[in-house]
């Protein structure tokens, strides 16, 4: 589906970024991985022959230099995915939540989206695709996720408005909204630490399987493979009519 296309994945050494990178490569894309931890990038790159770069995604100048270098090498950028993780609090209600903790995911996630989207858009042609990630917290009304929920809603709003701005250039922007990913902690995701408080005396895996999965219509959670396969479809010409959309992979935790 992606033969001849170049794809940049920010957070390419992470659980979701790595899974998507492998499927993109399988589908014929030339993959460029960017992230903070070289060892994790190398672990993914060894599997697929991707090119890597250690880049601080909060450093706008560094991200722009990297995007320009990728475009010069590949003849442009066709696909970009922001799969950057920002550790944050989930579970603390307003009374116990510090302002800094509330703002961390809002500032962190949206800052990386702005920086990476601006860097790649200038190197995209009329079939460019920017993929972003969100969470059901964008719409769920539950306690203890103030910062997380506001950041998720902000990410979806950012992508929707960005789609309007980039549409005249032929660039599509699509958001993927998975629920907690059942096999992400085992793949080294930061959610392994994120969900520890909610797991209590049990394991994070037990919390996902017994606590979250039963709350969905399908009584299960999405997998890394399902997210990666969906991302490949959305990045391909088969989804050429899709932009400004949120693709719901919550297994029915949210019903659109």
């Amino acid at each position: 589906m992606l033969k001849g296309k170049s794809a940049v994945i920010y957070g390419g050494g992470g659980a979701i970024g790595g899974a998507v990178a492998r499927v993109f490569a399988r589908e014929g894309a030339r993959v460029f991985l960017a992230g903070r931890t070289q060892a994790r990038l190398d672990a993914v790159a060894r599997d697929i022959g991707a090119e890597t770069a250690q880049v601080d995604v909060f450093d706008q100048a560094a991200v722009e230099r990297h995007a320009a270098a990728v475009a010069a090498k590949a003849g442009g950028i066709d696909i970009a995915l922001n799969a950057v993780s920002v550790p944050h609090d989930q579970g603390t209600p307003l009374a116990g939540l510090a302002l800094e903790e509330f703002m961390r995911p809002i500032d962190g996630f949206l800052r990386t989206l702005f920086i990476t989207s601006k860097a790649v858009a200038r190197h995209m042609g009329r079939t460019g695709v920017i993929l972003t990630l969100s969470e059901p917290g964008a719409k769920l009304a539950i306690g203890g996720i103030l910062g997380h929920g506001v950041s998720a809603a902000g990410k979806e709003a950012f992508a929707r408005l960005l789609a309007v701005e980039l549409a005249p250039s032929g660039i599509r922007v699509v958001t993927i909204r998975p629920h907690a990913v059942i096999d992400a902690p085992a793949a080294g995701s930061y959610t392994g630490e994120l969900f520890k408080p909610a797991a209590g005396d049990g394991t994070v895996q037990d919390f996902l399987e017994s606590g979250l999965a039963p709350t969905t219509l399908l009584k299960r959670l999405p997998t890394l493979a399902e997210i990666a396969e969906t991302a490949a479809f959305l990045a391909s010409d088969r989804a050429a009519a899709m932009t400004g959309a949120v693709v719901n992979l919550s297994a029915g935790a949210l019903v659109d």
Side-chain angles (χ1 to χ4, degrees), residues 76-92:
I77 296 174
D78 298 301
I79 305 161
L81 167 68
N82 186 315
V84 173
S85 60
V86 178
H88 57 278
D89 175 86
Q90 287 191 39
T92 304

Side-chain angles (χ1 to χ4, degrees), residues 40-58:
R40 298 194 68 175
L41 296 172
D42 290 342
V44 177
R46 280 195 295 270
D47 294 340
I48 60 175
E51 300 180 46
T52 69
Q54 193 169 16
V55 179
D56 179 358
V57 292
F58 292 104

Side-chain angles (χ1 to χ4, degrees), residues 83-192:
V84 173
S85 60
V86 178
H88 57 278
D89 175 86
Q90 287 191 39
T92 304
L94 175 64
L97 191 66
L99 174 61
E100 293 76 11
E101 195 59 65
F102 169 71
M103 289 300 302
R104 181 174 295 134
I106 300 168
D107 180 76
F109 281 119
L110 291 176
R111 187 178 294 266
T112 68
L113 277 179
F114 179 89
I115 290 172
T116 58
S117 298
K118 187 169 185 177
V120 300
R122 68 188 62 178
H123 301 291
M124 287 183 162
R126 293 199 61 82
T127 57
V129 183
I130 295 176
L131 299 176
T132 67
L133 294 168
S134 180
E135 302 84 23
K139 288 190 173 182
L140 286 175
I142 59 176
I145 62 166
L146 276 173
H148 168 71
V150 172
S151 73
K155 286 187 281 187
E156 294 186 6
F158 176 89
R160 182 172 62 250
L161 297 172
L162 186 65
V164 175
E165 290 200 14
L166 299 182
S169 299
I171 299 171
R172 300 189 291 113
V173 184
V174 183
T175 297
I176 303 171
R177 185 205 288 154
H179 203 355
V181 184
I182 190 68
D183 51 346
S189 169
Y190 80 115
T191 56

